[in-house]
Amino acid sequence: MTVAFGAALGLAAGLPAAAAPADGGLKLDLPAAAGATALGGGDTVVSLKNTTGHDLSKVVLQVRLTGGLGQRVELASADWCDHTKTTATCKVDRINPGQGFAIRLDLRAREKAALGEAGTVSVSARGIGVPAAYGTFGVAISSPPYTDVAAVAEQPRVDLHTGDTATLGVLYRNTGPVPARLRVADPVAAGFDDVAWSDCPEDDGDACLVELPAGQSRRLGFTMRLTGAEPAEPHVAMTVEGAYDRIVTDNLAVYMVCVYDTGRCTRHLPGTRSDVFAEPAPRAVPVDPAAAGPDSENQAVTLTQPEHVPVAVQEELAADEPYSFFDEVTGILVYSMLGLLIVGTSIALALRKRAADRG
């Protein structure tokens, strides 16, 4: 590490010890204040310098998130230093007079951390033969730089035959206050091939990279060939890099496809038909006036419909005779007389048997 750091900083000839200032040692250079966002950011720089007239060895720079700061902010990175989420330790074997080094800290606000003052960062520097140097600076949690990018499909519906090549486009609008770097994934859809961007500014293999300044728009065009009669809907996904996209539900562009071969579309269509092409209107065969004579002019085409054919309906025949009230009453009286006759006969037999028993 001594050789690597000496090459990076540049070795300088040591000054005589008598030339060192009376207060020479390790001098810290700290920011007045720092900010932390949910996205982080490597813009907080801490540095030190050897102000003695001789080399310093075994120099250690340590950065600590003290108190409650470690519960609201974490140390995401610290250049080449060994670090945890609350501490960074940077070690250098030797620093020449007048030389030093700097580290860039990435302070990231923890999830659900409230905006405002967060706490204090403590910094210390030590080396052999010199007093330790100390310093602090405050950290505030703030909202990350945000943007608002929306994707709009140029063609809400595209009609194709199998084998046709579709030329599609998607428009990206940045209505946020900061620029955005877009990573637009290659279009994807089953039933298509030969997918190619037509105006991608920077192709990254499986995505197109686009720089989109604040308040501006950018169109991306692409082509793809329909290979099957039942395709899936092509879709283009996009993510924002380097800024916070407040709304991500509008980052996807989707295209409805209707196939002439089958007369069907990839989603429900409004109206009386659900997912089928509307039938073409009937067309009259043009008549040549010169061949048909003057009577053929201004003739209207009459569209006829098939005549209505009546369908015979077989009526069911009645199974019983017409209802008769007289017959019903007569039947009731007959059955009643029979019942009375049976009852009377039973009583007479019972009385006769009783009289015989007494005699």
Side-chain angles (χ1 to χ4, degrees), residues 140-154:
I141 297 178
S142 59
S143 176
Y146 70 90
T147 186
D148 190 0
V149 180
V152 180
E154 280 190 338

Side-chain angles (χ1 to χ4, degrees), residues 275-299:
D275 60 349
V276 185
F277 283 121
E279 293 183 357
R283 297 178 180 178
V285 178
V287 179
D288 187 359
D295 294 336
S296 63
E297 296 182 1
N298 300 324
Q299 289 184 347

Side-chain angles (χ1 to χ4, degrees), residues 170-209:
V170 55
L171 181 67
Y172 294 102
R173 297 191 182 100
N174 182 4
T175 57
V178 299
R181 180 176 175 85
L182 310 184
R183 175 174 288 274
V184 184
D186 290 344
V188 176
F192 289 86
D193 64 4
D194 295 341
V195 181
W197 295 107
S198 58
D199 54 359
C200 174
E202 182 180 352
D203 197 333
D204 192 36
D206 59 352
C208 180
L209 304 181

Side-chain angles (χ1 to χ4, degrees), residues 169-352:
V170 55
L171 181 67
Y172 294 102
R173 297 191 182 100
N174 182 4
T175 57
V178 299
R181 180 176 175 85
L182 310 184
R183 175 174 288 274
V184 184
D186 290 344
V188 176
F192 289 86
D193 64 4
D194 295 341
V195 181
W197 295 107
S198 58
D199 54 359
C200 174
E202 182 180 352
D203 197 333
D204 192 36
D206 59 352
C208 180
L209 304 181
V210 180
E211 299 291 342
L212 190 59
Q216 295 191 18
S217 301
R218 174 64 189 262
R219 177 193 180 275
L220 288 181
F222 61 95
T223 57
M224 54 196 323
R225 187 175 68 89
L226 179 63
T227 60
E230 297 181 356
E233 293 191 343
H235 60 274
V236 182
M238 177 271 295
T239 56
V240 177
E241 298 179 344
Y244 174 68
D245 191 7
R246 292 189 299 180
I247 303 175
V248 297
T249 55
D250 57 1
N251 289 357
L252 184 68
V254 183
Y255 304 82
M256 180 174 67
V257 179
C258 295
V259 183
Y260 287 112
D261 307 60
T262 60
R264 305 186 70 85
C265 301
T266 54
R267 75 177 77 164
H268 178 81
L269 292 178
T272 57
R273 297 178 181 274
S274 60
D275 60 349
V276 185
F277 283 121
E279 293 183 357
R283 297 178 180 178
V285 178
V287 179
D288 187 359
D295 294 336
S296 63
E297 296 182 1
N298 300 324
Q299 289 184 347
V301 177
T302 302
L303 301 179
T304 61
Q305 296 183 354
E307 297 180 356
H308 175 69
V309 178
V311 179
V313 178
Q314 182 178 2
E315 298 182 356
E316 297 182 358
L317 298 177
D320 300 327
E321 296 294 333
Y323 172 76
S324 175
F325 177 76
F326 176 77
D327 293 342
E328 183 176 358
V329 172
T330 303
I332 293 174
L333 292 176
V334 171
Y335 285 112
S336 299
M337 292 298 292
L338 290 175
L340 290 174
L341 180 60
I342 294 172
V343 172
T345 303
S346 299
I347 295 174
L349 291 174
L351 291 175
R352 184 176 180 179

Side-chain angles (χ1 to χ4, degrees), residues 55-152:
D55 293 347
L56 293 179
S57 58
K58 303 298 182 181
V59 177
V60 178
L61 175 67
Q62 190 174 63
V63 178
R64 293 186 300 112
L65 309 185
T66 61
L69 178 62
Q71 300 177 357
R72 295 183 287 272
V73 176
E74 66 181 21
L75 191 60
S77 66
D79 285 349
W80 46 269
C81 307
D82 297 329
H83 73 89
T84 64
K85 291 186 177 182
T86 58
T87 304
T89 303
C90 317
K91 300 179 180 180
V92 178
D93 289 341
R94 184 179 298 275
I95 298 180
N96 301 127
Q99 301 296 314
F101 66 88
I103 59 172
R104 191 176 299 272
L105 305 177
D106 186 356
L107 300 174
R108 181 180 303 164
R110 293 181 183 266
E111 185 178 0
K112 298 182 180 179
L115 301 180
E117 295 296 327
T120 303
V121 176
S122 175
V123 183
S124 63
R126 301 185 303 275
I128 296 178
V130 293
Y134 300 94
T136 60
F137 61 91
V139 176
I141 297 178
S142 59
S143 176
Y146 70 90
T147 186
D148 190 0
V149 180
V152 180

